[in-house]
Structure formats: C-alpha cells, structure tokens
Amino acid sequence: PDRSSPENGYFFWAYTITLTNLGQETVQLKTRYWRITDAHGKLQEVRGPGVIGKTPVIKPGEDFEYTSGVPLPSSSGFMTGRFGMVTAQGEPFD
C-alpha cells in the first residue's frame, strides 16, 4: 500500500514465488519471462536473465524463494510466465 497511489491510477503489486526442485538433478535458473495483463487488457512482457539479479543453483529437494513486484494502472490483473532452467549437464528446459 505504501508504494501505490490509487487516486493516480498506480497500484503496486508484490508477489512471492517459491521454486522447489523436485527432480533428481541440480538445476540453475537462467532466465525469466512474464506476461502481465492489467484489468484494462494492457499486456506487458518482461524477459531477462535470472530473477532479482540472481541465477540461483537449486539442488534436489531445495527451494529458492524470492519476492518482487509489478506496478499496474488498475487495481487487479494477472500474470503468467516461465523460468528458463538448465541442468548441471547443460540441458535447457522451461
């Protein structure tokens, strides 16, 4: 709430994501891609290396959690996306 300004059509949304490695191999998060749509139907696409400046290595059974945010011109919206990962052997997957 302290970063939003509803009277000016500015709503800052925070989100927390937990990635859990349920596989048998160590993996590394390399990229992210988000499709963020506000309540007016306006789409933003965000892609780039890592998340919050990090490209974490996640061992089997381990978690990586981070919090970030996105400003929207509406009081609601939704986001979908994917993470680009790579195995210790260099095999990429989303």
Side-chain angles (χ1 to χ4, degrees):
D2 56 322
R3 293 185 63 182
S4 294
S5 180
E7 62 278 359
N8 294 315
Y10 184 85
F11 301 85
F12 192 85
W13 291 94
Y15 57 89
T16 299
I17 293 182
T18 303
L19 298 169
T20 303
N21 183 349
L22 299 175
Q24 301 296 316
E25 298 182 60
T26 297
V27 298
Q28 184 174 18
L29 188 156
K30 298 297 258 181
T31 63
R32 63 156 174 343
Y33 171 71
W34 292 117
R35 292 175 52 91
I36 304 163
T37 307
D38 66 31
H40 308 296
K42 182 181 175 199
L43 173 68
Q44 297 178 56
E45 292 184 289
V46 178
R47 65 181 79 227
V51 292
I52 62 166
K54 299 179 181 180
T55 56
V57 172
I58 310 169
K59 295 178 182 176
E62 290 187 344
D63 297 328
F64 172 75
E65 182 175 281
Y66 74 98
T67 299
S68 190
V70 61
L72 293 178
S74 61
S75 61
S76 65
F78 64 93
M79 60 193 288
T80 61
R82 63 183 175 265
F83 297 103
M85 311 290 283
V86 65
T87 67
Q89 289 75 32
E91 296 177 40
F93 67 97
D94 286 342

